[in-house]
Amino acid sequence: MAQVLGPHPRLLIPSVEALDQIAKPAVPAHRGLPVGIPPFISTTEQDWTLNAFCRRHGWKIWLKGPYYDAVQVNWWPSFLSLRTAFQATWGTEKLFLQAHVRGLEESISFSAYQGRLLDVVHMVKRDITPEGKTWGGRIDDPVPEFLNPLRAIVKELNWSGGAELEMIRNPAGELWLMEINPRFPAWIHGATIAGRNLAGRLVEAASGIAMSEAVPQSNEFARIVLEMPVRAGYPIPPLQEPMNGSQLHSGKYPSGMPMLAHRLHALRSRSVPASVPLEAAPSVATVPASFIKDILGADLDNVETPSRILLPSTAAHSFAQLAEAARAASSPACEVRAAYSIKTNPDERLIKMAYDVGFLAEAISELEVGKALEVGFLPEQVILNGPAKAWPSQARSRPVHAIFCDSLDELRQVVQRAVGGEELAEIIGVRLRGPQLISRFGIPVVSREIFYDMIGLLRALPQHFRIGCHFHIASSNFGIGQWWRLYDSSLRCAKAIESCTDRAVECVDIGGGWFPDDFENDLMPKLGDAIRQAREALPSLRTFVLEPGRAMVQHSMAVAMRVLEVRRFQGVPQDIVVDGSIAELPLAWQFPHRILQRDHKSGEWQPMARGPARILGRLCMEDDIVAPNVQLRADITEGQLLAICDAGAYESSMAYTFGRGKSNGL
Ligand SMILES: *Cc1c(COP(=O)(O)O)cnc(C)c1O
């Protein structure tokens, strides 16, 4: 209406310019108000960047549409399917992701005419429906720190009409603005019950006719449901039959909002205000320069595809960088060691790289220990971790560096053997399972009985064994903030172990589970502080261990594949089928992978951007989709080479033989 009818004395709505100033998610008009805007990112960014945003905010993320609609996404595959549904419902790719804010909802609603603030109330929700709609609330006056800037904003925007600012107050008491809606909220009559007739004030200002004052009855209101007769001749249309089995997202909006949105986009594409960040051009895909350098060195013209290729300088850089950081963080009192998790990728070349730069080896089975020894590690350079270590045939001439026990029963077994004189390891430790952790691993120290038994066993351990504590959660799933909170609580638990056993905890091992970018950008810069914190908590700490797998090697390999078939529709490539598959990329659906394509004329490798096309695998399986959203070049041809990057961790160790005419060898 603002666009089509423009300013009109009887139209009690804000102007197009004012509406642009309240556009989600940036809400430019909020400046001056004592509110923050939760971090957000446009989904037009590359998937690699979107995934990093989600990890950074602990996978407590909302996917939101341009006008309506918000769903919580808690892992990558659900984001992918919800993004597709939202794009179809709202007819646009310009959606955004926003970090979750923990807290309780409140609102400010106001009424204004031609830039003059007429009345304003503050409403704190007291009851909500399962969809979060207000079902009861308390009405108060807004505080002056809110009122004064709001008055200035209303003036600046020359606002006419009603409005609601939807906010969340976090446990620290800070307000976060979700959105400003250019209309009265559905609960507005609740304000009238409190003696504040906002709608009346607006009509009064516009018409000059005095409104009847609202009588204050209570400053709290509750909503009720009312059945009412339907007028004969105007029946309610029958319900739509739900689509059998399929969940049509737009079915949530019987009001026709999605249809209106599709039309609005057609309108807006003619008059797009440059200020709205959602209209930004799609970002470009990039990969680190070392990927291309390493792939150029692989002579792929003479390689049978699909083929996993090592990116040697990329891999070596990660190992060297961590080795150097560990050396720099070490002190005479406390040594910092990195241990390579063999299971993540047992390729000998990678284990050798770890060995060469001075890592320890971390093994979860006797076969892995054998592999480490084969590459050159000594027993005292091996850490045994994972569940249940009483593997057969583990007669070793020398003790290993450390054993971490995953359960009380295992600890009992290990302590018994130690008491019996076996020199199992220099360090005997426990893997801790913290209070809020849902995990099958570690000793659940939240139980007083279990903690008590653990202390008893550790006290019985002969004095010459050193005691260690280990914890491990995947920050890539739980989020970085959660990881650091767990680090904190693990140190407190280790401290409790010290005071209860009367023995020093001399080793802390923080496990793996890091996405390479987070390891480099978050953990590494904070490593010095983390070690200081550990030494403060545990003054006798002598060894601090990191056990990265994924962080070292995820980017160390790519899978090269060739295009077998280009499927076109009206000349435009829609899908390609390649000779690779999810058998070589078993986690293709779990996180985004950067993809390179080789230009068949220049031979140059270029990053593939996100787009509407798919890369389909060679297998006769419904879920064999190597990449669901890529931009294909118009001149893509059969035989062209692709390299799916970020395939060097579990993509490699968990790959399987399927559709190759081979049995799997077990
Ligand atoms: C798997 C594993 C690691 C490595 O985990 P990533 O996710 O590959 O970093 C480290 N320590 C232990 C005990 C493990 O089981």
Side-chain angles (χ1 to χ4, degrees), residues 135 223-229:
W135 212 247
R223 304 178 83 181
I224 56 162
V225 179
L226 193 67
E227 284 79 23
M228 52 195 286

Side-chain angles (χ1 to χ4, degrees), residues 454-465:
M454 178 180 80
I455 296 297
L457 291 169
L458 289 174
R459 288 177 74 107
L461 190 68
Q463 288 292 332
H464 68 278
F465 289 98

Side-chain angles (χ1 to χ4, degrees), residues 341 343-344 362 364 385-386 431 470 472 511-514 547-551 650:
S341 154
K343 71 160 189 296
T344 309
E362 187 267 317
I364 57 157
N385 223 323
R431 178 166 179 166
H470 169 72
H472 179 135
W514 284 79
E547 288 182 358
R550 194 176 182 186
Y650 299 96

Side-chain angles (χ1 to χ4, degrees), residues 339-345 362-364 368 383-387 404 431 441 470-476 509-515 519 546-553 649-650:
Y340 176 58
S341 154
I342 293 175
K343 71 160 189 296
T344 309
N345 188 333
E362 187 267 317
I364 57 157
E368 285 189 359
I383 294 176
L384 298 186
N385 223 323
F404 288 99
R431 178 166 179 166
F441 294 108
H470 169 72
F471 84 97
H472 179 135
I473 65 157
S475 80
S476 48
D509 178 332
I510 62 169
W514 284 79
F515 204 88
F519 190 84
L546 304 94
E547 288 182 358
R550 194 176 182 186
M552 292 297 104
V553 297
Y650 299 96

